[in-house]
Amino acid sequence: MDENISRLMDMGFDAEVARDALSRTNNQLEDAINVIYPLDGQETLLTAPEGAPPNYEQALVPGTTGATGATGDTGTVGTTSTGATGASLPIGPAVPTAPTTKDQNTTAIDLDDDLKSKIAQYGYQVEHKERSDTADQHSMKSISSTGSYVPMSESPPPYNIYQDVSRTRRTTEIPPVLLPNRQELLEGYMAPMLMILSQITRFRDLILKHQFFNYGYAPRWWQSEPCLANAMVTQEIQRLVAFLTGDSKRAFSSIHNLTEATRKIITEDYETVSEFILFVNKAIMDLFGGADSSLRQPLGELFDTYIDSPMLANEQHSYKSFTIEPSFFSKDIYHIMHALMWEKDFSKIELNKFQKISDILTFAFDSNGETVKGGGFILSNEFYPQIYTDKYDHIVKEKVDKLQELKEESAKVTSEMLRLRSYKGKRVSPLLESTISYLKEMSGEDTELIGSAVEELTSIQAHITEIGEKDANRLEEITQERNSVDIFDVKVDIESAVAAAVAATEAGTEAEAKVEPWILAGIIINERQFCYLSKDTDEWQCFYYELDKTRNYEFETMTFSEIQDQIKTYSGADFENGMTLFYVRKSVFYETSQVKLNAGLEEFIRKDNKQLEKDLSETAGTSETSGTSETSETSETSETSETEI
């Protein structure tokens, strides 16, 4: 708290004001600022100590006082007690009330430009926006049937899951959840990324392998309270992966501490999702590889794909993710990757090859509203990147060559048909018919000669007709052959090629005749919407976050076909945020092993489980006391009523 008080004092706030705001918001810096400076010109409800009257004269902003003393011209600010919510519950963030009405003597607070700039340096954008129609409806008065004005009831405060202790215990129905801090921040992508990657046993085991000297602990770490004064990114990642996959009994956690630690290592501005995804993948490899050199190679096998290309001048260059720009948007992953690897005309098919394929393939679609033309993107639940290797790319090359041969033959046949149909600009068939007809009508000394000419011309006409029919039939066959050659359907071709190679050797087995695919394991739409495949149930587990004023999440399971339909519709009609796809080698995805936590992380989880039980016990005790009190009051009231009667 002392550190956050200092940060607020650096922004220009009085120390006592800062301490009061932080104590009321459980040391949440962002919520404390919202208490001191309400957004959108709205009033703020402060949670007063239990039993204390509302303090209407509390100075909330430097340079202002309560209603009784006036310094400055910003008006007065009223506060209202929200009432006691139970002794064991943490004091939650400030909750905005309905916008003020005209008959209330309250105005919006204006900050000077220097103070606004100072707040912005800490990542909190303070803006005054026009109230929405919905907000205006709350500030209006409704007319009753008698014609008198009846004030509408105040809207309930936004729901905050961090204040709902009843939901903090993990259940078997809902997986553990990581929550981003705010919406529309690239750092928020780390929550779905870690939830998806933690499903991969090999990733989890590598992340949890190294033990640091101290992990610290804070009772409210899952909200935003730091466990260590200067925690490293690797420690915070380990903490969250252990929370997701270990024996933790907690249901959800914020990624606030990881976000704060990550900001210390960000050296450049990332403007697109693909840039930030690449940064996270690279940071995981570099940071954990730096902490423990034995992790470098196995992490490289997970994330590093190497491409052999003359454009790289024989230098090894790894790709930790693939960026899909709008110019390469197409109907499925093969249409896109064929174009990325080999150009759209397949001119680079023998030049660019995958030299080594990572176990995790990440595809980030960057979109600013550009859609996938032709009906949207069709998800593939399996992907065979082997088609881009030297061992199997000949399959596609043979198809490309075959299509080129058919194209050339089609052009040749078409040219022949045109040549037979016309000569020097004249149509041959009508010319022959008219000539034969004319000769048949002629009579005289040369009747025998004319008859011979008619016979010859009739034979030529029949030959031309026969050749034309053959050419037409051949063109139809070529069209059917071309339609049967699908350059983008590679699964059957790869499996057939492997089976043929195995059959050619005496030691070949049925198992060797199979080649494994990469499985679609996760999809991120944005920092608030994502889903991943559960390898235990083969169901898709989908999450949606609310991060504006309400803090909550929704969870549901879906089938692949349902997700496929939704992605197709989204990418074809909107696609505003693009998406990120995670494909994992099938054998790696379905690996299983017992979670192994080092001693430090085990101790952290043990402490947190104990703290959780304490919180739940205190909440239950408070509820029981409250219920007993209410019962006692009811009994006394009943006895009094009977006596009076």
Side-chain angles (χ1 to χ4, degrees):
M1 182 175 286
D2 290 340
E3 181 179 351
N4 283 340
I5 289 174
S6 299
R7 293 177 68 182
L8 290 175
M9 290 176 65
D10 290 341
M11 297 182 194
F13 298 115
D14 181 74
E16 289 303 316
V17 173
R19 182 180 298 278
D20 181 69
L22 288 168
S23 65
R24 295 176 183 276
T25 59
N26 196 35
N27 199 31
Q28 304 295 303
L29 185 62
E30 180 181 358
D31 294 329
I33 292 176
N34 290 338
V35 169
I36 299 173
Y37 176 69
L39 295 177
D40 301 335
Q42 296 179 342
E43 288 185 287
T44 308
L45 293 177
L46 296 181
T47 303
E50 185 174 0
N55 183 358
Y56 291 97
E57 298 182 359
Q58 173 66 51
L60 296 181
V61 180
T64 67
T65 64
T68 58
T71 60
D73 57 357
T74 57
T76 61
V77 177
T79 61
T80 306
S81 172
T82 59
T85 58
S88 64
L89 290 178
I91 297 176
V95 180
T97 66
T100 57
T101 57
K102 293 182 180 179
D103 59 346
Q104 291 176 306
N105 187 21
T106 305
T107 60
I109 300 174
D110 294 323
L111 294 184
D112 58 51
D113 293 337
D114 291 339
L115 188 52
K116 288 181 180 178
S117 299
K118 193 69 177 178
I119 292 176
Q121 292 178 7
Y122 287 82
Y124 304 102
Q125 299 299 326
V126 179
E127 300 178 356
H128 288 285
K129 299 181 180 179
E130 293 293 332
R131 288 181 295 191
S132 65
D133 293 340
T134 302
D136 288 338
Q137 291 175 7
H138 290 294
S139 67
M140 297 174 61
K141 294 181 178 180
S142 60
I143 302 176
S144 69
S145 59
T146 60
S148 60
Y149 286 89
V150 179
M152 295 180 64
S153 60
E154 292 185 359
S155 58
Y159 177 78
N160 189 338
I161 193 173
Y162 293 107
Q163 297 176 344
D164 190 348
V165 177
S166 65
R167 291 184 63 186
T168 54
R169 185 191 291 276
R170 189 177 301 186
T171 66
T172 56
E173 293 79 15
I174 302 178
V177 177
L178 298 181
L179 298 171
N181 307 332
R182 297 165 57 193
Q183 62 185 30
E184 298 181 355
L185 288 179
L186 288 176
E187 287 90 339
Y189 277 80
M190 290 189 289
M193 283 187 70
L194 284 181
M195 289 180 66
I196 291 171
L197 294 175
S198 293
Q199 304 300 307
I200 305 169
T201 300
R202 192 172 299 182
F203 171 85
R204 178 203 71 202
D205 291 347
L206 291 172
I207 294 300
L208 297 177
K209 180 180 179 181
H210 182 72
Q211 178 168 343
F212 293 93
F213 178 73
N214 181 27
Y215 290 93
Y217 181 75
R220 294 290 177 265
W221 71 272
W222 51 279
Q223 290 185 347
S224 64
E225 187 179 359
C227 297
L228 294 171
N230 293 295
M232 296 179 289
V233 174
T234 44
Q235 290 176 308
E236 296 303 331
I237 290 178
Q238 277 193 332
R239 198 188 312 277
L240 294 178
V241 173
F243 158 73
L244 290 171
T245 60
D247 293 327
S248 173
K249 298 178 181 179
R250 191 172 296 282
F252 57 88
S253 169
S254 168
I255 64 166
H256 176 85
N257 293 330
L258 173 58
T259 300
E260 291 300 309
T262 302
R263 287 175 180 169
K264 301 173 186 176
I265 65 171
I266 295 179
T267 58
E268 58 182 290
D269 293 332
Y270 298 104
E271 298 181 355
T272 64
V273 173
S274 64
E275 291 176 347
F276 189 77
I277 296 291
L278 176 59
F279 159 74
V280 174
N281 286 350
K282 188 175 186 301
I284 288 174
M285 288 190 58
D286 292 345
L287 294 176
F288 281 91
D292 186 342
S293 60
S294 67
L295 299 178
R296 287 188 179 276
Q297 181 178 346
L299 283 173
E301 292 176 356
L302 279 181
F303 289 104
D304 277 335
T305 292
Y306 289 88
I307 295 180
D308 183 14
S309 171
M311 299 296 293
L312 301 177
N314 295 323
E315 295 180 0
Q316 281 200 336
H317 185 73
S318 66
Y319 290 79
K320 295 176 176 62
S321 69
F322 293 89
T323 299
I324 314 299
E325 297 178 348
S327 60
F328 285 91
F329 286 176
S330 192
K331 64 182 295 184
D332 60 36
I333 191 66
Y334 288 110
H335 280 77
I336 291 172
M337 288 304 296
H338 280 24
L340 278 177
M341 291 293 294
W342 298 327
E343 303 292 346
K344 295 180 180 180
D345 61 353
F346 295 93
S347 58
K348 302 287 181 64
I349 197 169
E350 292 184 297
L351 301 179
N352 299 332
K353 306 173 187 294
F354 279 168
Q355 189 177 31
K356 172 189 170 295
I357 307 173
S358 58
D359 293 327
I360 301 173
L361 292 172
T362 307
F363 302 98
F365 290 69
D366 279 337
S367 175
N368 292 317
E370 299 91 341
T371 59
V372 178
K373 307 301 181 184
F377 182 84
I378 302 174
L379 282 175
S380 301
N381 59 356
E382 293 184 346
F383 177 53
Y384 289 83
Q386 299 95 326
I387 201 68
Y388 307 107
T389 65
D390 184 59
K391 187 174 183 179
Y392 295 109
D393 65 354
H394 69 276
I395 295 174
V396 175
K397 185 179 185 306
E398 290 171 0
K399 289 185 175 184
V400 172
D401 292 343
K402 179 63 175 178
L403 288 176
Q404 183 61 30
E405 292 175 4
L406 292 173
K407 181 180 179 180
E408 293 174 357
E409 184 180 358
S410 176
K412 182 179 179 181
V413 172
T414 302
S415 177
E416 183 179 74
M417 291 178 67
L418 293 175
R419 182 174 59 83
L420 290 174
R421 289 177 179 178
S422 63
Y423 180 71
K424 291 185 177 181
K426 302 293 184 179
R427 297 179 63 188
V428 173
S429 182
L431 178 61
L432 287 174
E433 288 182 4
S434 60
T435 302
I436 292 172
S437 177
Y438 175 76
L439 291 174
K440 286 181 178 180
E441 294 177 356
M442 292 182 64
S443 60
E445 298 178 356
D446 299 328
T447 301
E448 184 178 346
L449 182 61
I450 292 174
S452 176
V454 169
E455 186 177 344
E456 289 293 331
L457 291 175
T458 301
S459 176
I460 292 173
Q461 185 183 38
H463 176 72
I464 291 175
T465 301
E466 181 182 359
I467 296 299
E469 290 177 352
K470 287 183 178 180
D471 288 344
N473 291 334
R474 180 55 187 152
L475 279 180
E476 185 176 351
E477 291 174 357
I478 291 174
T479 300
Q480 292 177 352
E481 286 186 60
R482 292 177 66 175
N483 291 337
S484 66
V485 178
D486 189 349
I487 297 176
F488 307 100
D489 184 11
V490 303
K491 176 181 178 180
V492 175
D493 298 304
I494 289 181
E495 291 179 343
S496 298
V498 174
V502 170
T505 64
E506 295 182 358
T509 65
E510 183 178 353
E512 292 173 330
K514 296 181 180 179
V515 59
E516 67 174 334
W518 270 241
I519 300 295
L520 181 62
I523 307 168
I524 301 177
I525 304 301
N526 52 47
E527 80 284 2
R528 293 174 291 108
Q529 292 175 281
F530 69 100
C531 55
Y532 61 79
L533 177 64
S534 169
K535 60 186 175 186
D536 296 326
T537 63
D538 279 335
E539 290 181 321
W540 281 85
Q541 309 199 347
C542 305
F543 300 83
Y544 172 76
Y545 296 147
E546 295 179 80
L547 302 171
D548 189 6
K549 294 180 180 178
T550 296
R551 299 298 178 92
N552 199 7
Y553 68 87
E554 295 180 8
F555 166 80
E556 66 174 323
T557 59
M558 299 179 66
T559 64
F560 176 73
S561 61
E562 290 173 331
I563 293 177
Q564 193 177 46
D565 290 341
Q566 291 194 13
I567 292 297
K568 184 178 180 181
T569 301
Y570 162 64
S571 59
D574 183 358
F575 215 40
E576 180 179 0
N577 297 293
M579 64 181 174
T580 303
L581 306 180
F582 295 85
Y583 280 90
V584 183
R585 190 191 299 267
K586 185 174 183 179
S587 59
V588 173
F589 180 74
Y590 284 107
E591 281 180 344
T592 58
S593 69
Q594 292 294 323
V595 178
K596 298 178 181 178
L597 297 184
N598 58 55
L601 288 173
E602 280 186 344
E603 177 64 13
F604 175 84
I605 295 296
R606 186 191 65 78
K607 286 183 178 180
D608 192 50
N609 286 340
K610 186 175 180 180
Q611 180 65 42
L612 175 63
E613 294 302 325
K614 178 182 177 182
D615 292 343
L616 292 170
S617 176
E618 289 177 353
T619 303
T622 302
S623 300
E624 184 177 344
T625 302
S626 175
T628 303
S629 176
E630 291 177 1
T631 302
S632 177
E633 291 180 7
T634 302
S635 177
E636 291 178 1
T637 302
S638 176
E639 290 178 2
T640 302
S641 300
E642 290 178 359
T643 302
E644 291 177 352
I645 291 173

